Amino acid sequence: MMRKKIAAILTGVFLSIFSMTSVSQAQTAINSGLNAKQQGMVTIAASTAKGDLERLKTALHEGLDAGLTVNEIKEILVQMYAYCGFPRSLNGITTFMSVLEEREAKGIKDEPGREASPLPADKSRLELGTEIQTSLVGVPVSGPVYTFAPAIDEFLKGHLFGDIFGRDNLDFKSREIATIAALASMNGVNNQLRSHFNVGLNVGLTEAQLRSLITVLEARVGKQEADNAQEVLRTVLNNR
């Protein structure tokens, strides 16, 4: 009888410890993913890239409520033109303007956030962009496509990485979250998505954060896009 009681007590202790461990592991998994602001970046970028202005409007409200500043969101929407074109970027900015007007009419005061600092005066846009691109990728970028069309190499280095990524009111992690979300929401750009998954890891995004990004995509964009992104990420992780 005594042995049965001891066994029952030990079983209870074991289950309690197991339960606490499971809760702790689950909480760790949650904490290691994207935070609310970063999740907002994913939905804002993806909705802009898809041209889904109704979803974008909701995402903008959610992003502001999660603590994204007005200038952080502006920066994401401006950056999107480099990946999904001026029309969708401009539509996104126009939608954001209407959201801010709506919130102001309700007495909601959103944090403006800081403006970008001036670009360094001692470097050309091309020099700055080359430096940033090399830092993000990990090696100097070259290849047949850039030899064949040197203008695109200059535009990428001088404009995308110099003029845009050189603006310091959005950090590289945030820029990569937005870029990956946009690319994952578009068809036919898996090569670029693969590259930016690698860059995201290079700038300090963790595997857990990238998987969290894909979870947000599945919930807010679609399972097909999320499944494709998951497969691309799997390839990237296997090759690193």
Side-chain angles (χ1 to χ4, degrees), residues 79 82-83 154-166 196:
Q79 180 179 315
Y83 297 98
E154 183 175 343
F155 292 160
L156 281 170
K157 287 180 168 68
H159 184 50
L160 176 59
F161 291 104
D163 288 336
I164 300 177
F165 273 68
H196 279 280

Side-chain angles (χ1 to χ4, degrees), residues 29 38 49 52 60 63 88 96 104 130 137 151 158 169 179 228 240:
Q38 291 169 327
D52 186 345
L60 291 167
R88 289 193 170 176
F96 190 33
E104 186 176 1
T130 301
V137 176
N169 58 341
T179 300
N228 178 67
R240 281 178 72 89

Side-chain angles (χ1 to χ4, degrees), residues 37-108:
K37 287 175 61 174
Q38 291 169 327
Q39 290 177 35
M41 292 176 186
V42 172
T43 314
I44 289 168
S47 301
T48 303
K50 294 283 283 187
D52 186 345
L53 299 185
E54 284 303 311
R55 163 53 63 188
L56 175 60
K57 185 174 181 180
T58 300
L60 291 167
H61 280 291
E62 292 173 348
L64 289 166
D65 291 341
L68 284 172
T69 68
V70 172
N71 282 331
E72 284 173 333
I73 293 177
K74 280 185 191 177
E75 199 68 23
I76 291 169
L77 295 173
V78 168
Q79 180 179 315
M80 286 300 97
Y81 99 80
Y83 297 98
C84 59
F86 272 116
R88 289 193 170 176
S89 175
L90 289 168
N91 287 345
I93 292 168
T94 303
T95 301
F96 190 33
M97 290 170 63
S98 69
V99 165
L100 290 176
E101 289 171 1
E102 181 182 324
R103 291 170 71 89
E104 186 176 1
K106 293 179 179 178
I108 301 172

Side-chain angles (χ1 to χ4, degrees), residues 1-233:
M1 189 66 157
M2 182 61 69
R3 287 181 180 178
K4 288 183 178 180
K5 288 184 178 180
I6 293 173
I9 292 171
L10 290 175
T11 299
V13 170
F14 173 77
L15 290 174
S16 177
I17 293 172
F18 179 77
S19 176
M20 291 172 62
T21 301
S22 298
V23 170
S24 175
Q25 288 174 340
Q27 190 62 48
T28 298
I30 293 170
N31 292 339
S32 63
L34 298 180
N35 61 36
K37 287 175 61 174
Q38 291 169 327
Q39 290 177 35
M41 292 176 186
V42 172
T43 314
I44 289 168
S47 301
T48 303
K50 294 283 283 187
D52 186 345
L53 299 185
E54 284 303 311
R55 163 53 63 188
L56 175 60
K57 185 174 181 180
T58 300
L60 291 167
H61 280 291
E62 292 173 348
L64 289 166
D65 291 341
L68 284 172
T69 68
V70 172
N71 282 331
E72 284 173 333
I73 293 177
K74 280 185 191 177
E75 199 68 23
I76 291 169
L77 295 173
V78 168
Q79 180 179 315
M80 286 300 97
Y81 99 80
Y83 297 98
C84 59
F86 272 116
R88 289 193 170 176
S89 175
L90 289 168
N91 287 345
I93 292 168
T94 303
T95 301
F96 190 33
M97 290 170 63
S98 69
V99 165
L100 290 176
E101 289 171 1
E102 181 182 324
R103 291 170 71 89
E104 186 176 1
K106 293 179 179 178
I108 301 172
K109 294 183 178 181
D110 294 301
E111 178 65 35
R114 70 185 189 87
E115 299 281 352
S117 304
L119 296 177
D122 60 341
K123 295 178 183 176
S124 69
R125 296 160 54 249
L126 185 58
E127 289 171 331
L128 175 63
T130 301
E131 182 181 298
I132 291 173
Q133 184 191 48
T134 302
S135 171
L136 295 179
V137 176
V139 294
V141 175
S142 61
V145 67
Y146 305 119
T147 303
F148 177 71
I152 198 68
D153 188 38
E154 183 175 343
F155 292 160
L156 281 170
K157 287 180 168 68
H159 184 50
L160 176 59
F161 291 104
D163 288 336
I164 300 177
F165 273 68
R167 291 167 60 83
D168 64 357
N169 58 341
L170 202 62
D171 63 27
F172 290 151
K173 286 184 181 180
S174 298
R175 290 192 183 278
E176 284 306 314
I177 287 170
T179 300
I180 291 167
L183 291 172
S185 303
M186 299 162 62
N187 294 324
V189 292
N190 277 359
N191 286 341
Q192 290 75 25
L193 177 58
R194 188 178 302 110
S195 295
H196 279 280
F197 269 135
N198 272 306
V199 172
L201 291 164
N202 289 347
V203 300
L205 292 173
T206 65
E207 179 181 341
Q209 287 175 317
L210 294 177
R211 294 195 185 282
S212 177
L213 187 158
I214 293 170
T215 299
V216 176
L217 283 177
E218 182 170 2
R220 302 300 179 86
V221 179
K223 189 174 188 307
Q224 181 178 341
E225 290 84 353
D227 286 347
N228 178 67
Q230 187 67 54
E231 181 59 26
V232 174
L233 178 59

